[in-house]
């Protein structure tokens, strides 16, 4: 098993947190994992993306040239990563911010109106967790339970109160993914 | 060994140095390694050790020099432009025979360049950089775990040979996260002040003097010869490398650091296609594993050197191969990281017909 995921969006959308959470969960399961952020000089805004590889074996290159899966949170990221995707790759899109359809016909595409769903759950900031939950349900790099358990590493102190919301968002994403899988 | 923790490379470097008994940090901030001093700034005071942000890199390296003269385990960390500013201090440290550890998280250059990962400081690290006939031991780990493990060795080597040890990493290794396991803490209570240390005369019947100055050429030549004797000993005893899938290899990649890690994927791709490709990965880039590379020249059809620079280690590979077999090169510059697919594509062009 080797799962290669790119997460991409604007700075501030929780791209890095989603990637780090997946990495932490994979580590907790005793798997090999690398998390590689692309980093620019800006603190927020700008584009942000990260490569996460989860594997049963030691990982050689941490760089992903052609993703098997991508969580895409905004339009510029779709423009950038759509052409790079591996054939039959999985695209999970934040439909709320992506007004166009995917051009390629050789990809699996799951469009989620994730920001709207997150808002309904109580906080738009949980958009990243909805998309990550959906990814985990489909590709199964780690158990959903492990992602939920890993939240406590990141949401500490004052942020601890956000754990239930993020758990719900992960579950909601998984639920949407199950509908997507079942509908095929 | 303890539990695995998920850590950013730049932070793992600091934690490893602390556990290895580093008692003092002096430095000046620079991207992409600011998480290292930030981590030190939090942990060192907690442990009653020294963290000091100097007014410049020039000041920082001279503070390192001073601490090293007392026989204290000391470190500075920086990135390419900052390392350039420290070169004078490195040269003084070399001819003073004192030990320290310097981490260079290389970024794209020349000049102010960018903050993306690069390997273009290989010449600077392995061939001097500062003035005079000197060397530092240069370690080039390729994963965060290896960086962490080598940090303990870096301090041991610095103490053993009274020499500067460079940990040559890059921005990618500083920024990426990976689970790491740390070795046991080094017991700093067991450290003894060396008898040569300049810590006050005390009960000694003589003053210890550490200097890189010797006005008489004949005297300075003697100092140089002593340095060269030390380097010879290091060359004989401290060469380290990893040979990956080399047993039956018909072709050999040569690469260090991040690129070596990517090269392992290239080896896997080639093996899947039935091509016998291996990788020679120097862990010490000074001393360079000359003999080991030379030996493989009898075995492989050609060498293919890949770096994130214009072919710097390439020269050492060529010297070792000494014309016996072709040595090809591919590289990316300015902070561009080559992909495994790209390297494999270049390799297949060289193999031809197949």
């Amino acid at each position: 098993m080797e799962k290669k995921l790119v997460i991409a969006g604007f700075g501030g959308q929780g791209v890095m947190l989603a990637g780090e959470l997946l990495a932490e969960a994979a580590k907790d399961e005793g798997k090999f994992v690398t998390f590689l952020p692309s980093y620019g000089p800006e603190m927020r805004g700008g584009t942000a993306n990260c490569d996460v590889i989860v594997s049963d074996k030691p990982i050689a290159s941490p760089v992903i040239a052609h993703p098997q899966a991508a969580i895409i949170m905004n339009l510029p990221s779709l423009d950038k990563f759509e052409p790079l995707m591996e054939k039959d790759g999985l695209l999970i899109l934040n439909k709320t911010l992506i007004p166009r359809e995917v051009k390629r016909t050789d990809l699996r595409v799951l469009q989620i109106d994730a920001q709207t769903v997150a808002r309904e759950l109580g906080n738009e900031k949980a958009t990243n967790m909805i998309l990550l939950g959906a990814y985990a349900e489909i590709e199964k790099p780690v158990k959903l339970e492990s992602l939920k358990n890993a939240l406590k590493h990141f949401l500490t102190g004052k942020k601890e109160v956000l754990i239930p919301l993020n758990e719900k968002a992960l579950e909601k994403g998984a639920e949407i993914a199950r509908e997507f899988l079942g509908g095929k | 060994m303890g539990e695995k923790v998920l850590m950013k490379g730049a932070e793992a470097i600091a934690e490893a140095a602390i556990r290895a008994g580093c008692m003092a940090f002096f430095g000046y901030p620079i991207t992409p390694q600011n998480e290292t001093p930030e981590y030190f700034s939090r942990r060192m005071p907690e442990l009653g050790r020294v963290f000091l942000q100097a007014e410049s890199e020039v000041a920082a390296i001279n503070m390192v020099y001073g601490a090293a003269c007392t026989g204290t385990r000391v470190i500075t960390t920086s990135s390419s432009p900052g390392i350039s500013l420290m070169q004078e201090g490195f040269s003084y440290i070399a001819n003073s025979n004192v030990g320290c550890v310097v981490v260079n998280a290389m970024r794209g250059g020349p000049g102010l360049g960018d903050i993306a990962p690069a390997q273009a400081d290989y010449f600077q690290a392995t061939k001097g950089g500062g003035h005079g006939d000197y060397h530092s031991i240069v370690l080039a780990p390729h994963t965060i775990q290896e960086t962490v493990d080598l940090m303990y060795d870096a301090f041991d080597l610095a103490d053993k040979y009274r020499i500067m040890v460079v940990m040559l990493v890059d921005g990618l290794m500083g920024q990426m996260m990976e689970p790491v396991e740390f070795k046991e803490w080094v017991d700093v209570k067991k450290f003894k002040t060396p008898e040569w240390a300049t810590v006050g005369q005390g009960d000694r019947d003589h003053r210890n003097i550490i200097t890189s100055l010797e006005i008489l050429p004949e005297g300075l030549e003697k100092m140089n010869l002593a340095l060269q004797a030390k380097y010879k000993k290091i060359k004989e005893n401290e060469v380290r490398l990893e040979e990956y899938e080399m047993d039956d290899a018909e072709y050999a990649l040569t690469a260090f650091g991040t690129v070596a890690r990517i090269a392992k994927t290239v080896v896997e791709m080639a093996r899947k296609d039935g091509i016998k490709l291996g990788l020679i990965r120097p862990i010490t880039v000074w001393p360079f594993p000359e003999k080991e590379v030379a030996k493989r020249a009898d075995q492989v059809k050609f060498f293919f050197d890949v770096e994130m620079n214009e072919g710097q280690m390439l020269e050492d590979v060529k010297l070792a191969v000494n014309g016996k077999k072709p040595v090809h090169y591919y590289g990316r510059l300015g902070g561009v990281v080559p992909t495994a697919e790209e390297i494999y594509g270049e390799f297949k062009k060289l193999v031809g017909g197949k």
Side-chain angles (χ1 to χ4, degrees):
Chain A
M1 189 274 297
E2 184 163 272
K3 301 284 182 188
K4 298 181 179 181
L5 170 71
V6 166
I7 309 176
F10 293 124
Q13 280 185 305
V15 166
M16 298 304 168
L17 177 62
E20 288 181 31
L21 184 72
L22 174 58
E24 189 77 39
K27 186 264 297 175
D28 288 344
E29 288 190 4
K31 296 195 163 97
F32 292 94
V33 61
T34 57
F35 165 86
L36 176 65
S38 73
Y39 55 98
E42 60 281 280
M43 288 292 283
R44 59 180 72 81
T47 54
N49 59 271
C50 61
D51 297 356
V52 186
I53 304 178
V54 179
S55 180
D56 294 329
K57 294 181 306 167
I59 297 159
S61 172
V63 184
I64 302 175
H66 300 289
Q68 296 163 342
I71 293 173
I72 303 291
M73 299 189 68
N74 66 4
L75 182 60
S77 300
L78 180 63
D79 293 341
K80 181 175 173 188
F81 287 102
E82 184 181 348
L84 299 176
M85 296 295 292
E86 217 172 64
K87 195 171 170 295
D88 298 321
L90 172 69
L91 269 182
I92 300 179
L93 307 182
N94 174 26
K95 197 181 165 191
T96 321
L97 289 188
I98 301 174
R100 76 165 172 88
E101 292 296 315
V102 172
K103 291 173 195 148
R104 279 174 62 173
T105 53
D106 59 347
L107 301 173
R108 293 172 289 152
V109 181
L110 169 56
Q111 302 201 37
I112 306 177
D113 193 358
Q115 259 166 259
T116 310
V117 177
R119 205 180 306 125
E120 284 163 9
L121 283 180
N123 193 333
E124 209 174 72
K125 284 184 184 162
T127 303
N128 57 347
M129 293 298 140
I130 290 176
L131 297 164
L132 182 63
Y135 166 73
E137 182 67 24
I138 298 170
E139 293 291 297
K140 301 197 167 29
V142 295
K143 296 192 190 81
L144 194 69
E145 221 36 54
S146 306
L147 288 174
K148 289 201 269 181
N149 286 335
L151 283 169
K152 64 174 183 292
H153 292 286
F154 300 94
L155 301 172
T156 54
K158 266 195 286 181
K159 289 184 185 163
E160 211 179 314
V161 295
L162 295 169
I163 290 179
L165 169 77
N166 281 276
E167 285 181 343
K168 257 197 284 173
L170 285 165
E171 278 165 17
K172 185 71 190 168
E175 186 190 315
I176 294 169
R178 276 194 296 275
E179 283 166 24
F180 167 75
L181 290 170
K184 275 206 158 176
Chain B
M1 298 284 250
E3 193 194 340
K4 279 198 173 174
V5 281
L6 184 70
M7 261 182 128
K8 209 176 231 202
E11 294 183 339
I13 282 171
E15 180 64 27
I18 290 166
R19 287 176 185 240
C22 177
M23 301 303 286
F25 170 96
F26 304 95
Y28 188 81
I30 185 168
T31 309
Q33 62 83 56
N34 281 323
E35 293 87 346
T36 307
E38 184 193 25
Y39 195 93
F40 274 121
S41 72
R42 187 170 64 245
R43 294 284 285 132
M44 295 296 259
E46 282 174 6
L47 295 163
R49 304 184 190 179
V50 174
F51 170 88
L52 197 149
Q53 181 175 318
E55 67 270 36
S56 72
E57 285 87 351
V58 177
I61 193 58
N62 283 292
M63 291 174 185
V64 168
Y65 181 18
C69 289
T70 68
T72 301
R73 289 198 160 186
V74 57
I75 196 169
T76 187
T77 67
S78 188
S79 177
S80 307
I83 293 288
S84 290
L85 281 165
M86 295 181 182
Q87 296 298 327
E88 181 197 46
F90 293 168
S91 176
Y92 280 51
I93 285 168
N95 203 26
S96 298
N97 287 294
V98 291
C100 65
V101 174
V102 173
V103 180
N104 180 3
M106 291 181 282
R107 61 185 240 185
L112 200 49
D114 60 25
I115 58 171
Q119 298 183 319
D121 305 348
Y122 179 94
F123 281 154
Q124 191 191 53
T126 60
K127 315 286 177 191
H131 56 283
D133 269 324
Y134 81 93
H135 283 289
S136 310
I137 295 176
V138 186
L139 304 172
H142 77 318
T143 64
I144 298 177
Q145 185 66 58
E146 189 182 26
T147 311
V148 161
D149 293 340
L150 282 177
M151 187 59 84
Y152 293 73
D153 300 348
F155 280 104
D156 288 345
L157 288 166
D159 283 352
K160 182 177 174 189
Y161 293 101
R162 295 168 61 182
I163 193 169
M164 180 171 117
V165 178
V166 178
M167 195 68 96
L168 197 63
V169 297
D170 62 59
L172 187 143
M173 290 171 71
Q175 293 301 312
M176 74 176 283
M177 290 175 104
E178 218 171 357
V180 286
E181 235 173 316
F182 292 96
K183 287 191 273 196
E184 291 298 316
W185 287 70
V186 169
D187 185 1
V188 299
K189 287 196 212 87
K190 287 190 182 148
F191 287 165
K192 287 200 187 88
T193 304
E195 35 87 20
W196 51 262
T198 48
V199 289
Q201 187 170 343
D203 297 334
R204 247 185 284 111
D205 60 3
H206 62 280
R207 293 164 65 205
N208 281 341
I209 296 172
I210 294 175
T211 179
S212 65
L213 176 76
E214 172 55 84
I215 290 295
L216 291 173
E218 290 77 10
L220 187 55
E221 186 179 46
K222 253 187 216 160
M223 280 170 86
N224 266 281
L225 289 171
L227 273 183
Q228 293 307 319
K230 173 163 92 175
Y231 298 149
K232 187 165 172 266
K233 208 165 135 198
I234 294 170
K235 274 185 159 184
E236 282 164 3
N237 295 301
E238 305 299 345
V239 168
R240 298 185 194 195
L241 77 161
E242 182 195 6
E243 296 186 294
Y244 181 72
E245 301 277 356
M246 279 304 297
D247 285 352
D248 64 342
E250 293 175 8
Y251 309 94
L253 281 165
T254 52
F256 71 97
T258 287
V259 179
R261 187 168 183 165
I262 297 168
K264 284 188 173 174
T265 301
V266 179
V267 169
E268 283 165 21
M269 292 166 102
R271 293 273 165 179
K272 239 179 235 172
D273 289 347
I275 302 171
K276 288 179 177 164
L277 177 65
L279 166 70
I280 303 172
R281 178 176 75 84
I283 297 169
T284 52
V285 284
W286 198 93
F288 186 79
E290 293 160 15
K291 287 180 197 142
E292 291 77 3
V293 171
K295 217 187 289 166
R296 296 294 181 182
D298 297 325
Q299 174 190 338
V300 301
K301 292 178 182 155
F302 65 72
F303 293 84
F304 183 32
D305 178 73
V306 186
E307 300 178 64
M308 293 196 288
N309 60 42
E310 54 76 46
Q312 299 192 10
M313 187 175 81
L314 173 66
E315 294 193 0
D316 286 330
V317 176
K318 280 186 170 170
L319 282 169
V321 173
N322 202 15
K324 260 193 183 171
K325 291 288 163 65
V327 181
H328 303 287
Y329 152 82
Y330 178 72
R332 297 300 299 264
L333 312 178
V336 181
V337 181
T339 65
E341 287 81 359
E342 179 183 345
I343 297 168
Y344 188 43
E346 293 299 319
F347 169 72
K348 279 201 287 196
K349 278 188 218 162
L350 295 168
V351 176
K354 286 199 176 176

